[in-house]
Amino acid sequence: MDKLFAKFANATARATGSPQAFLVCVLVVLAWAASGPVFKFSETWQLVINTGTTIITFLMVFLIQNTQNRDGAAVQTKLDELILTSEAENDFMGIETLTEKELAVMHARCVEHAKVAQERLDKVSAVRESRRNAQAAPKAKRARPKRPPPAKNAPARRVKTSS
């Protein structure tokens, strides 16, 4: 019975969440509105749309809730598996069952960890930026000491040549 309902709920959620389903609903409302003058905008005419939308909404609430419950459980299971197979803290396993107060404490702890991590990232970024700036800045050229001009009778300077 559970599998059958899950299949039905998934199929209905997919179908009713489609653009075609929205278009059908818009056309039904337009047809109802256009039929108003024919029925002289009577109470029965109004009751038809009110009853129809109420019944559809009532049934859809249960289908959507079922789909959301299963999706939420699947996401939690996937997250739990990631936590177990990583170096993350196992304290986060099953936190969806904690009270609001307990969740607030866990959230505050995560916020504090995030601040510390951000400070580290900022320091690393500052070091990288200073290194980039140091590499990009033109190196100061050292002034070569001026040699005195060769004496008039001095021998020519030898230059080594590679053979």
Side-chain angles (χ1 to χ4, degrees):
M1 177 73 175
D2 285 345
K3 275 199 170 206
L4 183 63
F5 182 72
K7 276 184 162 182
F8 174 74
N10 280 338
T12 305
R14 256 192 316 277
T16 57
S18 68
Q20 294 86 353
F22 178 76
L23 184 60
V24 167
C25 289
V26 168
L27 292 174
V28 166
V29 170
L30 290 175
W32 170 79
S35 70
V38 174
F39 294 102
K40 298 183 171 69
F41 300 101
S42 68
E43 286 183 19
T44 304
W45 173 78
Q46 292 178 25
L47 189 61
V48 166
I49 196 74
N50 289 338
T51 304
T53 56
T54 302
I55 290 170
I56 290 170
T57 302
F58 179 74
L59 295 174
M60 287 302 294
V61 164
F62 295 102
L63 290 173
I64 291 169
Q65 188 61 50
N66 177 270
T67 305
Q68 287 294 314
N69 289 345
R70 282 184 291 105
D71 285 349
V75 168
Q76 286 304 319
T77 303
K78 290 175 185 179
L79 290 173
D80 288 348
E81 181 63 19
L82 288 173
I83 290 169
L84 285 172
T85 59
S86 71
E87 293 182 20
E89 297 177 30
N90 289 345
D91 296 348
F92 289 94
M93 294 289 297
I95 65 171
E96 65 275 5
T97 61
L98 296 179
T99 65
E100 291 293 322
K101 205 174 202 178
E102 293 167 327
L103 280 174
V105 170
M106 294 285 281
H107 180 72
R109 190 172 97 191
C110 287
V111 167
E112 189 57 38
H113 285 271
K115 284 180 184 175
V116 170
Q118 187 61 51
E119 288 171 2
R120 287 181 188 156
L121 285 173
D122 291 344
K123 285 180 185 177
V124 168
S125 294
V127 168
R128 283 184 182 160
E129 188 64 29
S130 67
R131 286 181 184 167
R132 276 192 209 118
N133 290 341
Q135 289 175 351
K139 295 182 180 177
K141 292 184 179 178
R142 285 185 260 153
R144 290 188 171 180
K146 291 187 177 181
R147 294 186 180 159
K152 289 184 180 177
N153 296 333
R157 220 172 108 189
R158 288 189 180 182
V159 178
K160 288 186 179 180
T161 60
S162 55
S163 314

